[in-house]
């Protein structure tokens, strides 16, 4: 009678769990449908997001770490991420970390994103399938698909024999009866507990990842059966590729389903421990997984790319965005060009748009402190990355050629390694110089060589800018007006400046204006931020004296 009650309670719990999950999935599908084109609320930066991208070999086409930090791209990815699964979030990160340089590859990706936005039925079916995979699931799949799972301490055939030996020896000891057989059973019982506990430290972190492998295969099986996917031309190549891989992966679904099962009474925990059920199933599934890793990696990438594509399509519904036009470069020797109107930074809620319409390929930006120079440099570079990754930019129009993006903006010294600020600058800029040999680049430089004296800073900055100007698109910001004077003709100059308010205070409109800045504002900001009057007056006098000496020197030289 007691077993019937326990069975009825367990069945009721399973039914409740199934009904609750189905209701939750229906609610989430409705939320996705009504929330299409709106940002998701996500907290912080997911530390597992870079995991899939880190498995790719080669650094050649990857944004380097300095550029990634300079452009605040971790925050940008979090802001733009509208994926459903962890696999999709990792795919989006991988797209942005490795912008495409091949125009045909960009067109194929754009076609997939356009299909998601154009066909609501396709999008709804894909989103429902991704929900079946599970929101946030697949986070650690790259660890088991690219990594290796060690063999168990006890060989798998022996592991499979131990539960049989345990049950047989105890049953024989009771039926015969035999204290010797019961003692053997007790010894096996103790050994199984030790084996289970030792193995748990190894398999626990990967248990859910192996379950996700089975989920991934089931999603792929459903994906190839969706009629909306079959009729979408941009998805057919990936669909046919998955179809060819699926037959060899079907056994994994059976091996990984309910791999980590729990019941409301925790009765299963005792059985899993003494009969080694979890350990045997885990290592059996891991053995099958080893020979199926290559096709499973490709299936994971396809599912992740579909999720990233529906996320990018949702971004296109934002009226602040547009679809960029990326054309093939004019040639290996011709510098790349970018033309954009009303460029905005996706991280700013009330961003001020600026145009990038240059008669030349190089722009030198001067301007007041706090007026928006660095933000403008970041805005151009971030949108260049987005144009070549998610095929969306924050602008009213954008046209350009594929470029590698490299920057030197946020340099810092390192006390622990003994690396000075200036040495950090040298290393960062040398990295760009060497990387630019691979092909056309968008080079973004903010106040370079500020870690040394004014004379050598100006000379070194001019030499570096002239080196880049012949083959690359260069955006540089500086307070050294002498650099603009020496680069005249090679660079277009523009500036940001403060504006006076009605009460005489300084304010900024963050608008890019043509030409060189006429007057700096550093000392005016001393007064505005509350520095003592004697400091402000003394600084003003020193500037005036320097200007007088410079004027006299110019007259004597003339």
């Amino acid at each position: 009678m007691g077993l019937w009650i326990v069975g009825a309670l367990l069945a009721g719990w399973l039914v409740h769990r199934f009904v609750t999950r189905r209701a939750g999935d229906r609610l989430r599908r409705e939320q996705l449908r009504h929330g299409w084109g709106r940002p998701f609320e996500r907290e912080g930066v997911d530390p597992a997001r870079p995991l899939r991208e880190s498995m790719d070999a080669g650094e050649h086409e990857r944004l380097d770490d300095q550029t990634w930090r300079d452009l605040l791209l971790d925050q940008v990815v979090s802001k733009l991420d509208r994926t459903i699964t962890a696999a999709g979030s990792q795919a989006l990160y991988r797209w942005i970390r490795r912008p495409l340089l091949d125009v045909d590859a960009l067109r194929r990706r754009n076609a997939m994103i356009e299909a998601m936005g154009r066909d609501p039925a396709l999008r709804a079916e894909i989103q429902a399938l991704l929900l079946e995979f599970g929101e946030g699931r697949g986070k650690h799949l790259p660890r088991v698909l690219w990594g290796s799972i060690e063999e168990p301490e006890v060989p798998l055939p022996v592991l499979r024999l131990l539960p049989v030996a345990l049950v047989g020896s105890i049953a024989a000891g009771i039926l015969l009866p035999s204290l010797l057989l019961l003692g053997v059973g007790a010894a096996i019982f103790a050994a199984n507990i030790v084996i289970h506990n030792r193995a748990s430290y190894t398999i626990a972190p990967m248990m859910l990842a192996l379950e996700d492998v089975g989920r991934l295969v089931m999603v792929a099986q459903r994906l190839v059966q969706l009629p909306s996917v079959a009729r979408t031309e941009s998805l057919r190549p990936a669909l046919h590729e998955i179809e060819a891989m699926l037959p060899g992966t079907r056994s994994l679904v059976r091996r990984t389903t309910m791999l980590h099962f729990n019941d409301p009474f925790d009765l299963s925990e005792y059985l899993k421990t003494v009969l080694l059920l979890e350990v045997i199933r885990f290592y059996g599934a891991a053995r099958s997984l080893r020979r199926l890793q290559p096709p499973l990696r490709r299936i994971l990438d396809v599912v992740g790319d579909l999720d990233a594509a529906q996320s990018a399509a949702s971004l296109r519904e934002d009226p602040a965005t547009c679809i960029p036009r990326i054309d093939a470069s004019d040639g290996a020797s011709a510098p790349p060009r970018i033309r954009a109107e009303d460029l905005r930074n996706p991280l700013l809620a009330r961003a001020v748009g600026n145009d990038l319409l240059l008669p030349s390929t190089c722009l030198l930006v001067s301007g007041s402190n706090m007026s928006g120079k660095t933000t403008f440099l970041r805005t151009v570079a971030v949108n260049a990355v987005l144009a070549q990754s998610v095929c969306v930019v924050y602008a009213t129009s954008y046209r350009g050629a594929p470029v590698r993006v490299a920057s030197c903006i946020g340099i810092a010294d390192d006390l622990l390694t003994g690396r000075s600020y200036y040495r950090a600058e040298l290393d960062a800029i040398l990295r760009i110089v060497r990387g630019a040999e691979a092909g056309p680049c968008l080079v973004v430089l903010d106040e370079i060589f500020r870690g040394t004296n004014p004379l050598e800073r100006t000379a070194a900055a001019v030499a570096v800018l002239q080196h880049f100007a012949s083959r690359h698109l260069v955006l540089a910001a500086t307070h050294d007006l002498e650099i603009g004077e020496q680069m005249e003709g090679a660079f277009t100059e523009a500036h940001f400046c403060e504006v006076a308010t009605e009460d005489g205070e300084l304010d900024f409109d963050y608008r890019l204006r043509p030409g060189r800045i006429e007057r700096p504002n550093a000392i005016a900001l001393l007064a505005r931020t509350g520095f003592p009057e004697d400091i402000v007056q003394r600084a003003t006098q020193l500037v005036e004296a320097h200007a007088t000496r410079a004027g006299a020197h110019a007259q004597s030289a003339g």
Side-chain angles (χ1 to χ4, degrees), residues 342-344 351-355 366 371-372 376 494-499 508-514:
D342 200 26
L343 271 173
R344 297 169 183 261
V352 175
N354 280 291
D355 296 343
S366 56
S371 59
F376 176 72
H495 71 276
F496 291 91
C497 64
E498 73 280 359
V499 293
F508 304 98
D509 61 6
Y510 307 111
R511 294 290 182 186
L512 186 66
R513 295 172 169 82

Side-chain angles (χ1 to χ4, degrees), residues 64-73 374 378 382 406-411 428 431-432 444 446:
D64 62 77
D65 292 341
Q66 180 67 49
T67 300
W68 187 264
R69 290 192 299 268
D70 283 346
L71 305 185
L72 309 177
L73 285 170
T374 303
R378 284 193 172 111
V382 166
S407 70
C408 178
I409 296 176
I411 300 299
R431 163 187 54 83
I432 299 175
V444 180
D446 186 25

Side-chain angles (χ1 to χ4, degrees), residues 66-259:
Q66 180 67 49
T67 300
W68 187 264
R69 290 192 299 268
D70 283 346
L71 305 185
L72 309 177
L73 285 170
D74 271 326
Q75 292 88 329
V76 170
V77 175
S78 295
K79 177 84 171 181
L80 305 188
D81 190 352
R82 301 181 185 184
T83 58
I84 297 169
T85 65
S89 184
Q90 291 178 357
L92 183 67
Y93 178 96
R94 183 167 168 251
W95 283 12
I96 294 175
R97 191 72 198 239
R98 295 177 181 267
L100 295 174
L101 298 173
D102 181 72
V103 173
D104 290 334
L106 267 171
R107 287 171 182 158
R108 289 192 296 271
R109 181 174 292 175
N110 182 61
M112 182 167 60
I113 296 169
E114 278 189 345
M116 290 289 187
R118 184 178 59 247
D119 189 341
L122 169 69
R123 182 171 69 242
E125 288 189 341
I126 293 291
Q127 288 177 334
L129 198 60
L130 294 170
L131 283 172
E132 284 188 24
F133 185 36
E135 284 192 272
R137 297 298 293 262
K139 183 176 293 188
H140 298 292
L141 272 172
R143 294 191 193 279
V144 297
L145 296 186
W146 275 264
S148 60
I149 300 174
E150 295 180 1
E151 291 286 346
E153 292 180 333
V154 179
L156 189 57
V158 177
L159 287 176
R160 287 170 172 161
L161 182 62
L162 285 173
V164 178
L166 173 64
V167 174
S169 61
I170 291 177
I174 294 172
L175 293 174
L176 288 179
S178 170
L179 288 177
L180 178 61
L181 290 175
L182 287 174
V184 171
I188 297 173
F189 181 90
N192 285 359
I193 292 175
V194 172
I195 292 170
H196 173 86
N197 290 338
R198 285 179 63 87
S200 294
Y201 290 107
T202 302
I203 70 177
M206 291 183 279
M207 189 69 71
L208 285 177
L210 264 186
E211 276 194 358
D212 286 343
V213 171
R215 285 172 174 259
L216 177 67
V217 174
M218 287 191 288
V219 165
Q221 290 171 348
R222 291 282 310 281
L223 179 65
V224 299
Q225 296 170 0
L226 292 179
S228 59
V229 175
R231 69 170 180 263
T232 304
E233 185 176 352
S234 59
L235 301 182
R236 281 180 200 150
L239 193 69
H240 293 155
E241 195 175 355
I242 288 179
E243 275 185 309
M245 295 176 178
L246 275 177
T249 62
R250 297 185 193 278
S251 62
L252 271 176
V253 177
R254 176 177 52 82
R255 291 180 179 275
T256 58
T257 301
M258 303 295 284
L259 188 63

Side-chain angles (χ1 to χ4, degrees), residues 36-38 82 117 123 312-321:
W36 177 251
R38 300 175 186 173
R82 301 181 185 184
R123 182 171 69 242
S314 178
L315 282 175
R316 291 183 173 185
E317 299 297 314
D318 187 336
T321 67

Side-chain angles (χ1 to χ4, degrees), residues 408-431:
C408 178
I409 296 176
I411 300 299
D413 60 358
D414 191 332
L415 177 65
L416 296 180
T417 62
R419 190 172 69 157
S420 70
Y421 184 92
Y422 184 60
R423 179 54 190 267
E425 278 190 302
L426 294 177
D427 291 344
I429 294 170
L430 181 59
R431 163 187 54 83

